[in-house]
Amino acid sequence: METSFWKSVPIRSSEITPKSLYLRRREFLKLGALGTAAALLAACGNAEDAAPVTPSRQPLQSGQDEYGDPVTSYEAITNYNNYYEFSTDKEAVARLAEDFQTRPWTIEVSGLVAKPRVFDIDDLLKKFPQEERIYRLRCVEGWSMVIPWLGFPLAKLLKEVEPLGSARYVSFLSVSRPEEMLGIRSSFYPWPYREGLRLDEALHDLTILASGLYGEMLPNQNGAPLRLVVPWKYGFKSAKAIVKIELTEQQPETFWNLIAPDEYGFYSNVNPQKPHPRWSQATERRIGESGRRPTLMFNGYAEEVAHLYEGMDLNKYY
Ligand SMILES: Nc1nc2c(c(=O)[nH]1)N[C@H]1C(S)=C(S)[C@@H](COP(=O)(O)O)O[C@H]1N2
Ligand SMILES: [Mo]
């Protein structure tokens, strides 16, 4: 994993670059990356006789994902957030989360494990070295970003507590503090926010717990002090402000599945061929770009994760 770039930059690039310049540099980067879907689409002209776009992976470079697409600006990543505990207005979350207290903080890891434990967040971050992972985040609403996370594989934490043979799933519980989180006062939603993974998904090396982005501590609006990131699934799987991780035998309940089971399944793998009942999932808007680009199967991580779903009907297990 490429980490030298952010490590060598003492302040984030968005801070030293005015937004317009930053955007222009992004355009420049895009022109340079001839393998990107956007460039290919533009070069193809008439969409009808265009061959299906298969963007290709490239040697990993700093500040880009493996398709050569640049990371989204810090401003966008930290001011366009889904975090219903604070607000359903994406642009209001950052301000409303400003005073949220993330210390002291503990995370309970329990359930079907030999060594259940409560970790203090700072002990946990010291114990597991934080590495940079540049991942695409595809929201089920149809937009996406490229985010340079700092985090560590969830598998490392799970191994620490020694899962029992009977454990098949992992559930994640977000904090619920109505005094600090105005959105929780809306009793329409089944608080606290919760999510779940199959154990093999949770143990996959791509699955991380993130504690930072752009080489800095995670801002509150992005899920401080620790949030899940599962890059081949829709963004809502990545629960923020986690206080409890539980290993279970039964498939856990999930927030969005409780609200609308026909719309949000347990698996929630990014799948351009499986439309949401109310809209297509075939394309997405990359924040900072104009127009839309094709959505990739498993959000572009098929090489790494398709084997997890071999023999499963992905129309049924959406
Ligand atoms: N606790 C909690 N976690 C959450 C959400 C939420 O409302 N509450 N929203 C989810 C959704 S829909 C998305 S797309 C991502 C957005 O993460 P970001 O704001 O860091 O981009 O967080 C996910 N995690
Ligand atoms: Mo989302």
Side-chain angles (χ1 to χ4, degrees), residues 76-87 90 93 137-141 143 145 147 149 173-175 181 191-195 213 218-219 221-223 227-229 234-242 255-256:
I77 294 173
T78 58
N79 288 289
Y80 191 78
N81 303 102
N82 269 336
Y83 205 162
Y84 278 28
E85 286 89 333
F86 289 101
S87 174
K90 283 186 247 305
V93 171
L137 182 144
R138 169 60 156 82
C139 177
V140 75
E141 296 164 337
W143 50 268
M145 300 190 190
I147 304 183
W149 299 109
L173 206 66
S174 294
V175 79
M181 301 169 130
W191 309 112
Y193 198 92
R194 73 205 70 180
E195 257 306 336
L213 57 81
L218 202 59
Q221 60 268 37
N222 294 94
R227 60 90 63 80
L228 181 67
V229 181
Y234 290 114
F236 65 83
K237 292 302 272 186
S238 54
K240 295 177 171 180
I242 291 172
F255 184 81
W256 284 105

Side-chain angles (χ1 to χ4, degrees), residues 273-286:
Q273 283 143 38
K274 170 77 179 161
H276 183 279
R278 291 183 281 132
W279 59 82
S280 162
Q281 291 290 22
T283 65
E284 67 200 56
R285 182 171 64 92
R286 179 66 50 85

Side-chain angles (χ1 to χ4, degrees), residues 8-304:
S8 67
V9 178
I11 44 174
R12 51 182 188 255
S13 53
S14 53
E15 238 168 40
I16 49 174
T17 319
K19 197 171 181 194
S20 56
L21 253 182
Y22 189 89
L23 292 175
R24 238 185 294 147
R25 200 177 64 203
R26 286 167 47 86
E27 286 309 307
F28 172 77
L29 282 169
K30 238 188 340 187
L31 287 175
L34 281 172
T36 64
L40 280 173
L41 273 178
C44 282
N46 188 336
E48 260 156 17
D49 49 43
V53 178
T54 22
S56 57
R57 294 204 174 198
Q58 313 189 344
L60 203 55
Q61 284 184 54
S62 51
Q64 303 184 352
D65 71 4
E66 60 273 52
Y67 292 97
D69 288 318
V71 292
T72 303
S73 74
Y74 184 85
E75 281 72 14
I77 294 173
T78 58
N79 288 289
Y80 191 78
N81 303 102
N82 269 336
Y83 205 162
Y84 278 28
E85 286 89 333
F86 289 101
S87 174
T88 54
D89 174 356
K90 283 186 247 305
E91 276 152 312
V93 171
R95 191 183 52 79
L96 292 170
E98 231 164 43
D99 297 327
F100 179 65
Q101 295 301 309
T102 60
R103 293 294 188 286
W105 193 280
T106 57
I107 297 170
E108 176 188 329
V109 190
S110 58
L112 299 173
V113 299
K115 296 182 171 165
R117 239 179 105 174
V118 177
F119 292 87
D120 175 79
I121 182 70
D122 294 309
D123 295 343
L124 194 121
L125 296 183
K126 257 179 260 159
K127 190 176 180 71
F128 303 112
Q130 309 297 295
E131 40 183 288
E132 186 176 75
R133 299 280 183 104
I134 296 179
Y135 284 164
R136 292 169 292 288
L137 182 144
R138 169 60 156 82
C139 177
V140 75
E141 296 164 337
W143 50 268
S144 64
M145 300 190 190
V146 182
I147 304 183
W149 299 109
L150 277 180
F152 62 93
L154 171 64
K156 287 193 183 175
L157 177 59
L158 295 181
K159 276 170 193 149
E160 194 74 20
V161 296
E162 299 178 14
L164 300 176
S166 51
R168 292 184 56 219
Y169 294 92
V170 186
S171 82
F172 304 85
L173 206 66
S174 294
V175 79
S176 172
R177 281 197 216 141
E179 328 77 60
E180 288 176 85
M181 301 169 130
L182 295 181
I184 290 192
R185 298 182 190 174
S186 157
S187 52
F188 171 77
Y189 295 105
W191 309 112
Y193 198 92
R194 73 205 70 180
E195 257 306 336
L197 296 172
R198 223 168 52 191
L199 184 58
D200 59 340
E201 298 175 323
L203 292 173
H204 194 287
D205 181 64
L206 283 176
T207 304
I208 59 167
L209 289 169
S211 64
L213 57 81
Y214 263 89
E216 297 181 353
M217 264 173 63
L218 202 59
N220 289 344
Q221 60 268 37
N222 294 94
L226 202 66
R227 60 90 63 80
L228 181 67
V229 181
V230 195
W232 71 94
K233 295 177 180 281
Y234 290 114
F236 65 83
K237 292 302 272 186
S238 54
K240 295 177 171 180
I242 291 172
V243 287
K244 185 176 176 184
I245 297 174
E246 192 180 3
L247 285 86
T248 63
E249 191 169 352
Q250 302 300 322
Q251 183 176 296
E253 285 179 339
T254 68
F255 184 81
W256 284 105
N257 186 256
L258 285 168
I259 295 166
D262 307 342
E263 303 188 8
Y264 310 105
F266 176 78
Y267 283 91
S268 308
N269 292 318
V270 173
N271 183 353
Q273 283 143 38
K274 170 77 179 161
H276 183 279
R278 291 183 281 132
W279 59 82
S280 162
Q281 291 290 22
T283 65
E284 67 200 56
R285 182 171 64 92
R286 179 66 50 85
I287 301 297
E289 278 180 11
S290 53
R292 299 182 72 83
R293 54 163 70 204
T295 286
L296 304 177
M297 189 63 198
F298 295 117
N299 201 23
Y301 299 95
E303 252 175 60
E304 289 93 339

